């Protein structure tokens, strides 16, 4: 098979066969196709799309390009969660230990920053010593022993996705429904799960900003999960503004610890609990949403979730003192500055993409895959759209490594946070629930 034929056919609106998609994924994972040709095929797919059968075949081929986790014999339900990505979205970090403390087995495999979004792995690695590069055998052993592991995608799991993910990031081909669906579902379905919960972001900071497209993505992924006998539920959550207060790697670990201490910003806590409820329902460990929420709130209130996080940090080589003394253990930015409102009015927007790009400008994200990440930098966003602000009121705090960083931070906040007089009604935090049974509107969009 010659890749050139596939590129030309897709460019002209034709279909690719399952066998062709399998060869494509396998050969690319084995470094036998040049990046420039694969980039051209990705761009053709970006514009022409893949139908459901092509998308499913691509997902299967990517999933089968590597090994799989197998939890046969484990006496716990194995459930994971994945987010389509956003700014300030640190939910995986408190959620995984929280549901593990409630009795689930969670082999959580996360990614690095993609485009303007942050990555769970970069956040975890701001904890000194924390190792996210475990082998599949080590990850499996930790899940069996503790109930939870927080790892990155090794070359062993869906290696075709690992390479395609990096290439899409570098070729502006991330925002395509079949490519996102195949990417997420290929690695998740290689984890040997009994159920999967998806957090599909919508709004300005999401890869699918329009609610209709986010809903289409959610339906596509739920259908793939169900077709592979992995019950899958998706919640559509707002990325119209950054989630929570902290945006930046070490800052987001601090906020995650606040959530685990039964505290923290209301929106981060609510999304964590809502996804946790779905995970417990899929596992069968809770009969209904009220019981599931009670179990989660109990594990936060009595410290079991926090204790589970401590054990995970310890098991993965991190400094467990981070749990009791985050500021003493996490890297701290050399420069800090509070930005205040220049006028009184209503916060019109806190643009998440601008904040995400601002973190990269401060050194906290990557422009190329080789870039090193400074874990200490970022922002605290202190206002939400729709909120009244008075002149002089703190809007944000900048955490930078030097005065150049502070300048970049000031420019970012000036662009991202707009104050004017119009009344603003922010979109609902959690708008839809998508499952095999259909779409439920939880709040008017
Ligand atoms: N997260 C993924 O794992 N893949 C994508 O394509 C987008 C978000």
């Amino acid at each position: 098979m010659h890749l050139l034929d596939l590129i030309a056919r897709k460019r002209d609106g034709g279909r690719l066969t399952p066998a062709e998609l399998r060869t494509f994924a396998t050969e690319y994972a084995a470094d036998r196709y040049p990046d420039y040709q694969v980039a051209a095929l990705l761009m053709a797919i970006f514009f022409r799309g893949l139908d459901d059968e092509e998308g499913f075949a691509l997902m299967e081929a990517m999933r089968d390009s590597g090994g799989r986790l197998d939890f046969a014999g484990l006496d716990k339900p194995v459930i994971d969660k994945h987010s389509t990505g956003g700014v300030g979205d640190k939910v995986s970090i408190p959620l995984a230990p929280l549901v593990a403390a409630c009795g689930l087995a969670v082999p959580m495999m996360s990614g690095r920053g993609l485009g303007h979004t942050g990555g769970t792995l970069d956040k975890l690695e701001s904890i000194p010593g924390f190792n996210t590069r475990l082998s599949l055998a080590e990850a499996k052993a930790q899940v069996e022993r503790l109930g939870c592991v927080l790892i990155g995608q090794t070359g062993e799991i869906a290696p075709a996705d690992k390479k395609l993910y990096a290439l899409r990031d570098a070729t502006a081909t991330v925002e395509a429904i079949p490519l996102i669906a195949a990417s997420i579902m290929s690695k998740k379905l290689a984890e040997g799960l009994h159920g999967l919960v998806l957090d599909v972001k919508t709004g300005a900071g999401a890869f699918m900003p329009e609610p209709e497209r986010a809903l289409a993505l959610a339906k596509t992924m739920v259908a793939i999960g169900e077709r592979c006998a992995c019950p899958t539920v998706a919640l559509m959550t707002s990325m119209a503004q950054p989630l929570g207060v902290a945006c930046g790697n070490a800052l987001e670990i601090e906020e995650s610890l606040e959530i685990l201490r039964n505290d923290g910003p209301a929106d981060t806590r609510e999304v964590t609990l809502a996804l946790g409820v779905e995970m417990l329902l899929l596992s069968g460990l809770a009969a209904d949403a009220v019981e599931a929420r009670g179990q989660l709130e109990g594990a936060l209130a009595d410290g079991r979730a926090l204790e589970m996080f401590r054990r995970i940090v310890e098991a993965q080589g991190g400094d467990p003192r981070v749990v009791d003394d985050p500021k003493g253990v996490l890297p701290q930015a050399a420069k800090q500055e509070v930005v205040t409102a220049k006028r009184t009015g209503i916060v019109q927007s806190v643009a998440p993409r601008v904040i995400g790009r601002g973190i990269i400008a401060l050194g906290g994200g990557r422009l190329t895959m080789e870039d090193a990440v400074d874990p200490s930098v970022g922002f605290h966003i202190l206002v939400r759209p729709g909120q009244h602000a008075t002149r002089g009121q703190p809007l944000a705090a900048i955490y930078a490594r030097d005065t150049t960083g502070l300048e970049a931070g000031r420019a970012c906040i000036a662009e991202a946070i707009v104050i004017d007089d119009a009344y603003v009604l922010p979109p609902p935090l959690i708008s839809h629930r998508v499952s095999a049974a259909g779409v439920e509107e939880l709040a008017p969009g």
Side-chain angles (χ1 to χ4, degrees), residues 101-125:
C102 294
L104 300 193
V106 190
M108 190 168 276
M109 198 188 335
S110 307
R112 299 197 179 274
L114 183 68
H116 63 281
T117 67
T120 299
L121 292 186
D122 296 325
K123 297 168 197 179
L124 288 169
E125 286 174 1

Side-chain angles (χ1 to χ4, degrees), residues 105-246:
V106 190
M108 190 168 276
M109 198 188 335
S110 307
R112 299 197 179 274
L114 183 68
H116 63 281
T117 67
T120 299
L121 292 186
D122 296 325
K123 297 168 197 179
L124 288 169
E125 286 174 1
S126 64
I127 302 173
F130 197 100
N131 178 19
T132 59
R133 294 167 204 262
L134 304 192
S135 69
L136 282 191
E138 289 167 331
K140 181 168 185 267
Q142 185 171 317
V143 171
E144 286 166 352
R145 199 172 68 251
L146 275 186
C148 186
V149 71
L150 301 172
I151 51 164
Q153 185 180 7
T154 64
E156 292 170 278
I157 287 253
D161 173 60
K162 194 163 193 243
K163 286 195 73 187
L164 286 169
Y165 191 92
L167 190 60
R168 286 166 56 217
D169 194 28
T171 55
T173 49
V174 172
E175 293 95 339
I177 290 176
L179 295 178
I180 297 179
S183 164
I184 291 178
M185 297 308 284
S186 63
K187 51 192 173 242
K188 292 290 138 176
L189 293 173
E191 285 180 14
L193 303 177
H194 299 131
L196 173 63
V197 174
L198 297 165
D199 181 359
V200 178
K201 300 288 183 198
T202 176
F207 287 124
M208 292 291 138
E210 310 84 7
E212 310 74 45
R213 302 240 302 145
L215 195 54
L217 174 62
K219 285 185 192 166
T220 305
M221 291 195 289
V222 168
I224 291 175
E226 296 292 331
R227 194 164 159 183
C228 293
C230 175
T232 302
V233 172
L235 293 183
M236 256 171 71
T237 72
S238 174
M239 192 32 69
Q241 67 275 320
L243 186 69
V245 170

